[in-house]
Amino acid sequence: MQEGLRQVDGGVPAVSPDARELVRRWDELGSRFHSSEGTKEAARAMWAENSTELSHALPWTAEQLQALVAHLQAARETR
């Protein structure tokens, strides 16, 4: 989370090697919790649709979470 937020705040382009490496590691970690592409998409949709509510229990704002998810998706699309 912190590394991703630093990239977002620092304006690191999604096409950069750092962003692509972050999303690779992020997806590798996430694959331990998701049994299929369908569950990955469901988790992403849940964050996108409920980030405000979910952020209340986290140390990050909904805007930070949304920006991070967008950054990761953009980096994912460059692979």
Side-chain angles (χ1 to χ4, degrees):
M1 291 293 298
Q2 297 296 13
E3 181 180 347
L5 291 171
R6 277 193 298 276
Q7 287 189 14
V8 169
D9 291 343
V12 173
V15 297
S16 73
D18 289 340
R20 290 194 313 256
E21 175 60 16
L22 173 65
V23 81
R24 184 196 65 74
R25 288 184 286 122
W26 184 280
D27 287 347
E28 182 179 296
L29 178 63
S31 70
R32 297 176 186 173
F33 302 96
H34 303 292
S35 59
S36 70
E37 284 301 314
T39 59
K40 290 177 188 178
E41 289 302 318
R44 290 180 191 133
M46 184 264 316
W47 277 105
E49 295 168 9
N50 301 292
S51 58
T52 300
E53 293 83 6
L54 293 168
S55 69
H56 291 300
L58 299 171
W60 308 284
T61 67
E63 293 79 17
Q64 287 175 303
L65 294 173
Q66 291 165 349
L68 177 56
V69 168
H71 180 67
L72 292 168
Q73 185 58 35
R76 196 174 283 115
E77 291 170 359
T78 68
R79 290 193 291 181

